[in-house]
Structures are given as C-alpha cells and as structure tokens.
Amino acid sequence: MNQNKTIYPMNFIRQIVNNDLNSGKHKLIRTRFSPEPNGYLHIGHVKSICLNFGIAQDYHGQCNLRFDDTNPAKEEMEYINAIQRDIKWLGFNWNGEVRYTSNYFDKFYNYALELIDKGLAYVDQLSADKIRDYRGTLKSPGKNSPYRDQSVVKNRFLFEKMRKGEFSEGSVCLRAKINMASSLMVLRDPVLYRIKFVNHHQTGDKWCIYPMYDFAHCISDALEGITHSLCTLEFQENRRLYDWILDNITINFRPKQYEFSRLNLEYTVMSKRKLNFLVTAKLVEGWDDPRMLTIAGLRRRGYTAASIREFCRRIGVTKQDQNIKMAMLEACVRDDLNNQAVRIMAVIDPVLLVITSLPIGHEQNILIPNHPYKSEMGTRQVIFSREIYIDRSDFREIADVQYKRLSLGNEVRLRNSFVIKAESIKKNSKGEIITIFCHHDPDTLGKDPVDGRKVRGVIHWVSATHGISAEFRLYEQLFKEANPTSVKNFISALNPNSLNIYHGFVEPGVLQTNLNQPIQFEREGYFYVDDNYHAFKSTRPVFNRTVELRHTSTIKSKL
Ligand code: ATP
Ligand code: MG
C-alpha cells in the first residue's frame, strides 16, 4: 500500500467537480472541512476529510480548514489543537491559515442588518417555547409571530440592543422572515442569531450574540470562495435555507452545497456528544483510548494513516445509507501492517517450559528473519535458552486429534528452533500448571526430523532468562451491540470485556527496534507501543493490540 497517496475512485461528487471544470464553470476547485471544535475527530469525520482534501489534491484545488465555532459554550482549545494534529497525521494539508467562522462575526452582523433593512429578518420576543409552538408540525402549518411585522427601525433598534447585551439569554432572537406555512420546517422563519453570554475562545467577550450554523455556514463558504460545500445528508433540507440566505444578501460569490451519506460503523458510536460522555464519565481512558474510533484512538491503537485512508477509499461516497462492518476497517489495517510490520516473538500469557535434555545454563544464538518475505528487512539474533516461556493456550495435558500444539507425550516445533516433546508437568496447589518439562530433538534446528516423522504444530516462545517483561492490552469492541444507538441507554450496550490486560514477555531485541513502528507478535497479532510508555519512560513496555492476524468473531468473550 502506498504510504503517501491514496488513489480515490470516481464518485458522484467527483463527477460534479469534473463537469464543473470541463464546462469552465470553475477554474479552481475549493472545498472546506468545517468541524465544530466540540470534541475529537472520529472515523466518520475521516470520510469527509478524505473527500474534501482528496478532491482538492486530485483536482489541483484547495481545501480550507475552518473551525465552525459558533457555539462557544461547548468548544475548547484542546479540541482545536487535536483536530489540526489529526488532519496532519492523516496526511492532509489545508490551504493557508487555519480559519474560524468567528473570523467573520463582523461580516455576519452586517449581513443580518442587510436582511433587516430588506424586511427579511425580525427580532422576535416570543419565548423559545412559544417559538416552538408557533412553528407547527410536519402536518400543520406554523403561525406568524406577533413580532413578525415590526418596522425595520424597531428591528434595527432591538437587534442593536441584543448586541449590546441589554436582553437576557433566550428572551429574544433574530429570525429570518421566510414562510411559516412552508412544507420545509427549516424555512419557517429560522433563527439566525441568539444571545449567549459566554466567553469565546477566539473573540473573547466581544460578542454576546452568536449566529446560528445555517446563517454562518453559507456566508463563510461564500466569503472563502468555496465552490463545492460538501456535507452529510441530514443537511439536505437546510440547503434551501443556505440558498435563500445567499439569494438575499449582497455577496459576490456563489458556493453550492452537495450532500452525501454519513458513515456508520458497527459496534461503535459516532457522535461527539456520546464520545464526550464516555470520556467525562471515565468509561474510557480519554479521547485517545485505543477502543475509541477517534483518529487519536486509532493512532494510539496502531492504525496507520494509510490504512484509514484506504478504508475511506473502499467505502466510497454515495447518497445511500452506509452501515459498514468493523471487519472492513480491520482488513485495511491488516493488509497494510502485513507488509511492513517486523516479526517478533512475545508470550502474552506465559507458562515456564524447561528443556531438560539441554545442559543447565545452555544458551545459543539463533538467526531469525525480521519478515517472512521481505529479506530487505534483515535478520536478528535471538537467544534460545534451556528455560523458555510459551503461551498457556499452546499447551494441553490431554489433546484431541485436532489440537496441533503441545501436549503431554506429543511433539511440536518451537518457531525458528528445535522440535520438542512434552514429558511431564508440575502444578501448584491450585492445580495450575507452573512448569512443563520437555526433551528436544537436537537434529531439528532449521530442518525436519531425520526419520521423516511429521511434526504438525509450530508455537512461539521467549527465553525465560533473557525475555523482557511487558504488558499487553488486548481489545474487543467497546460495545456489545452492533448498533449501540438503537439501545435505549447506549451506556448499557458497553462491552464489559473490551479491555483485557496481560503480563508476559517479549524478545529483548524489541527494545532495540524502532518502537514507533508496527510490530507483529508472531501468531498473536499486530501491536503498537502505547503512547504512555513513551511518555513515562517506564521500563516495562506496554503494547496495544491493533488487530488480530485473522478475522474472528467480533465479540469473543462470554458476556
Ligand atoms: P458529530 O455528531 O460527531 O459531532 P457533526 O456532523 O456534528 O458530527 P462536525 O464537527 O460538524 O460534526 O463535522 C464536520 C464534518 O464532518 C461535517 O461536514 C460532517 O458532515 C462530517 N461528518 C461528521 N460525522 C460524519 C460521518 N459519520 N460520516 C461522514 N461525515 C461525517
Ligand atoms: Mg455537531
């Protein structure tokens, strides 16, 4: 997989862009990605990022990054910084400076005055509840507010009072005068401005009135010369308002909105509000918890940027509802890591194994390739010793015919090493196996047994005298329901076994390899060193399992 560039296929939006360039309607394509800085970006946002930045890249256009910061109560600098970091990490660059919708607050204010002067906006003094009552329903038309026909002079006067902070929050608002009987609810005199006495991370205390998304978005797009304003399907109706506002103000650029379907992924929630709840209720470690499908979480888990972009390439862009299986995301990262991950041995759930046929203190170096089919990745020396660890699940006292690993009286190959046969075991007072005693066949290093007998299984191991103690974090889906939002309380759909921590051992050489690269622990999966290990420089490395080697069922443990 190409690390730097993903080739996206044609889709209906790219077709529109193509046509607009061919017809000469636009010479330069300009898109924008416009997140609300009220949380970290998640995999759903990546679909929009790959679409917007991908189009700019492929059509030699520009993509602006604009923070949609019209709701300061929920916004934070932490999110603004995290969003920029995540977009860059995904491999995209925005055009010029970072922009903020709040850059245009003065302009919005003047456009609001223009609508007032044209008799197309009014200050409504109905309460929020009344406004809702008057709005009507899908089946019945709305009712005009008694303030709807106030004079322009009065509206200007009241709007100015709003701006000066002379009204309380929620007592008045500015509304567009469109049509209370419209079949489209968004056109029933939508609110354009509301009062909020909150400090804004960009504009401080300058404003106590803030524009609504619908008013701010279309004007920002026009001011920035956005040719194709791409958003998700729930804004389809809002397009009518988008166009109405631009039709009625004096602005010399006309952007156009197009909608595509949201990405939904099984076993996860996408809304920032819900993700924020998980973080603040401490149900996860933070926004970058490796179980969260945030970009930060995926990165910490060991997903590569290329694999996430590849996922977006595979899912495509249409108007159809999109409910994607986790297996698809996992397949993308597996394909990418298979190519580049160095192979190393680690024992996650260790049990001691002693090879009694070797002399006490025996040690030898074994040369092991770092990748099975990429010789350019080199080899390494691994110390094999008389005492090793193997994984508990690789031994059974009594095995059935299907069991290909080690069992009493039977043989198995130690990966890259000898064939051994289990002779006896020692248990503790609880009946748990604490040591397995074996003999080895000295004539099987790098070759099959000379008498032609077949050894079916291969298991991995780590030297008990040289192995380094390590923590392994194995993850399952965060939710046990395929569609957690369909459950009344989505918290009740959390999978109690989503994190399983093991303490085991890893080849000592692992600390000499570049720990910022993905690793395949042979037979166990792809792993990535946890950020906290770097941060705290602890002596015991912590590895997150990115994904298993093969697709198994989504939820494994009994719930
Ligand atoms: P959330 O509910 O997670 O907060 P949002 O749509 O409110 O999502 P924004 O910050 O407004 O989030 O999103 C920025 C852009 O990302 C928007 O254009 C939005 O349509 C897009 N986006 C958000 N979620 C998805 C998704 N699941 N699939 C595709 N695009 C998405
Ligand atoms: Mg939102």
Side-chain angles (χ1 to χ4, degrees):
M1 195 180 301
N2 189 315
Q3 286 305 296
N4 302 315
K5 189 132 167 56
T6 302
I7 311 291
Y8 298 97
M10 188 47 73
N11 58 45
F12 78 99
I13 293 178
R14 284 174 170 252
Q15 196 63 62
I16 292 167
V17 167
N18 249 349
N19 296 344
D20 288 349
L21 282 170
N22 289 339
S23 71
K25 181 176 176 193
H26 297 295
K27 290 209 162 45
L28 179 74
I29 299 300
R30 213 179 269 121
T31 55
R32 90 283 168 270
F33 177 63
S34 184
E36 192 183 344
N38 61 345
Y40 280 51
L41 297 180
H42 52 64
I43 185 84
H45 292 112
V46 185
K47 177 175 179 182
S48 177
I49 291 173
C50 290
L51 179 63
N52 281 292
F53 286 93
I55 285 178
Q57 246 171 28
D58 293 346
Y59 293 92
H60 306 291
Q62 299 171 339
C63 179
N64 291 355
L65 170 62
R66 182 202 313 143
F67 285 106
D68 168 27
D69 57 350
T70 50
N71 193 6
K74 292 184 183 159
E75 296 161 8
E76 283 175 30
M77 279 314 289
E78 180 197 346
Y79 301 143
I80 289 181
N81 295 332
I83 288 171
Q84 294 180 52
R85 186 169 65 232
D86 290 348
I87 296 172
K88 282 191 195 147
W89 178 78
L90 277 173
F92 296 109
N93 294 307
W94 48 88
N95 166 43
E97 298 287 296
V98 172
R99 287 149 224 264
Y100 296 87
T101 302
S102 57
N103 294 156
Y104 315 126
F105 278 177
D106 286 300
K107 294 205 162 91
F108 300 149
Y109 184 74
N110 289 327
Y111 284 121
L113 290 177
E114 182 181 346
L115 290 179
I116 290 174
D117 289 346
K118 288 177 171 168
L120 292 174
Y122 61 98
V123 174
D124 198 351
Q125 299 189 61
L126 283 181
S127 67
D129 284 347
K130 277 268 173 342
I131 289 182
R132 207 171 306 121
D133 288 349
Y134 277 48
R135 186 160 279 143
T137 65
L138 283 173
K139 293 204 180 95
S140 61
K143 227 167 48 177
N144 285 353
S145 159
Y147 302 96
R148 196 174 198 263
D149 292 320
Q150 260 160 198
S151 69
V152 167
V153 175
K154 179 120 194 229
N155 281 321
R156 263 208 170 239
F157 172 75
L158 293 173
F159 190 46
E160 185 58 13
K161 267 180 78 131
M162 275 175 71
R163 188 186 66 76
K164 285 188 186 150
E166 293 172 15
F167 286 113
S168 60
E169 240 174 69
S171 60
V172 295
C173 61
L174 184 75
R175 296 179 73 180
K177 197 196 274 189
I178 308 181
N179 179 5
M180 289 305 291
S182 171
S183 59
L184 298 173
M185 298 299 277
V186 289
L187 295 185
R188 293 187 186 175
D189 290 10
V191 175
L192 302 180
Y193 262 98
R194 64 207 193 286
I195 298 172
K196 276 201 189 283
F197 291 100
V198 277
N199 182 277
H200 190 287
H201 48 92
Q202 304 299 317
T203 57
D205 287 327
K206 178 168 177 196
W207 298 93
C208 65
I209 53 170
Y210 290 100
M212 300 301 287
Y213 170 86
D214 283 317
F215 187 58
H217 199 76
C218 55
I219 301 177
S220 309
D221 283 347
L223 291 171
E224 292 181 7
I226 302 300
T227 53
H228 300 77
S229 178
L230 313 176
C231 63
T232 37
L233 278 173
E234 67 275 19
F235 291 99
Q236 204 156 13
E237 273 199 7
N238 300 56
R239 177 169 15 100
R240 299 289 294 273
L241 179 54
Y242 186 103
D243 287 338
W244 184 91
I245 294 167
L246 295 179
D247 280 343
N248 287 295
I249 59 172
T250 312
I251 200 156
N252 56 16
F253 188 86
R254 191 54 191 259
K256 208 159 169 217
Q257 177 183 305
Y258 299 92
E259 306 89 19
F260 61 94
S261 61
R262 292 179 86 82
L263 163 67
N264 296 301
L265 201 57
E266 277 187 346
Y267 296 101
T268 189
V269 295
M270 289 276 191
S271 121
K272 280 186 255 139
R273 198 176 50 79
K274 291 201 171 76
L275 295 175
N276 192 13
F277 185 86
L278 296 176
V279 174
T280 38
K282 298 210 176 334
L283 296 165
V284 291
E285 267 186 38
W287 284 98
D288 67 347
D289 187 301
R291 292 165 294 181
M292 297 266 274
L293 289 194
T294 52
I295 301 177
L298 288 164
R299 177 172 57 229
R300 183 167 161 200
R301 174 110 169 220
Y303 273 74
T304 57
S307 70
I308 300 174
R309 293 197 307 264
E310 170 64 13
F311 173 70
C312 288
R313 190 191 69 75
R314 289 187 196 177
I315 60 173
V317 177
T318 66
K319 279 182 181 278
Q320 258 78 57
D321 276 353
Q322 197 170 45
N323 209 358
I324 304 288
K325 294 209 178 311
M326 277 301 286
M328 185 142 169
L329 180 61
E330 292 178 351
C332 292
V333 73
R334 213 176 268 129
D335 286 353
D336 191 22
L337 297 183
N338 181 35
N339 262 321
Q340 50 164 309
V342 52
R343 270 53 169 180
I344 285 183
M345 291 196 285
V347 173
I348 289 175
D349 186 12
V351 60
L352 186 66
L353 185 151
V354 180
I355 302 165
T356 52
S357 51
L358 287 169
I360 287 173
H362 175 88
E363 281 183 0
Q364 71 186 97
N365 274 322
I366 295 182
L367 194 67
I368 297 186
N370 288 329
H371 196 284
Y373 50 82
K374 284 191 136 180
S375 54
E376 68 273 22
M377 285 178 70
T379 54
R380 67 188 188 283
Q381 297 280 354
V382 176
I383 300 172
F384 175 70
S385 52
R386 183 176 184 265
E387 302 194 340
I388 59 175
Y389 290 116
I390 65 163
D391 202 273
R392 248 170 219 290
S393 64
D394 283 337
F395 177 79
R396 277 190 202 165
E397 276 184 80
I398 303 157
D400 51 39
V401 278
Q402 261 117 53
Y403 193 73
K404 293 199 195 111
R405 295 172 253 173
L406 186 62
S407 58
L408 276 181
N410 288 315
E411 283 185 313
V412 81
R413 173 172 291 281
L414 293 174
R415 187 144 185 85
N416 300 304
S417 178
F418 298 99
V419 169
I420 56 166
K421 182 175 183 181
E423 304 285 345
S424 62
I425 52 174
K426 186 171 153 193
K427 292 185 178 177
N428 64 13
S429 56
K430 285 187 258 168
E432 298 159 342
I433 299 171
I434 50 167
T435 316
I436 304 164
F437 298 98
C438 295
H439 281 174
H440 79 301
D441 178 340
D443 212 13
T444 53
L445 186 60
K447 55 184 183 188
D448 288 333
V450 283
D451 61 5
R453 68 188 195 281
K454 289 270 174 286
V455 178
R456 290 192 304 164
V458 180
I459 64 172
H460 60 282
W461 52 274
V462 167
S463 160
T465 35
H466 292 271
I468 287 182
S469 129
E471 181 172 313
F472 302 90
R473 297 188 176 179
L474 309 192
Y475 300 101
E476 291 183 7
Q477 307 302 345
L478 188 51
F479 291 94
K480 58 189 176 188
E481 302 286 338
N483 183 3
T485 41
S486 69
V487 181
K488 206 160 144 216
N489 169 11
F490 82 105
I491 296 301
S492 68
L494 280 169
N495 171 10
N497 303 310
S498 57
L499 168 63
N500 300 288
I501 295 181
Y502 289 87
H503 292 110
F505 296 90
V506 61
E507 283 179 26
V510 77
L511 293 184
Q512 270 106 58
T513 60
N514 169 12
L515 279 182
N516 287 316
Q517 66 175 0
I519 294 172
Q520 184 195 105
F521 288 140
E522 299 212 31
R523 301 179 61 234
E524 298 289 4
Y526 295 101
F527 286 76
Y528 195 68
V529 165
D530 191 71
D531 279 350
N532 285 344
Y533 169 67
H534 291 300
F536 302 129
K537 298 225 178 335
S538 71
T539 46
R540 183 157 73 180
V542 176
F543 295 98
N544 291 316
R545 179 153 72 185
T546 313
V547 68
E548 291 175 72
L549 294 181
R550 274 171 296 278
H551 177 64
T552 53
S553 73
T554 318
I555 302 277
K556 289 210 308 276
S557 49
K558 288 201 182 70
L559 296 166

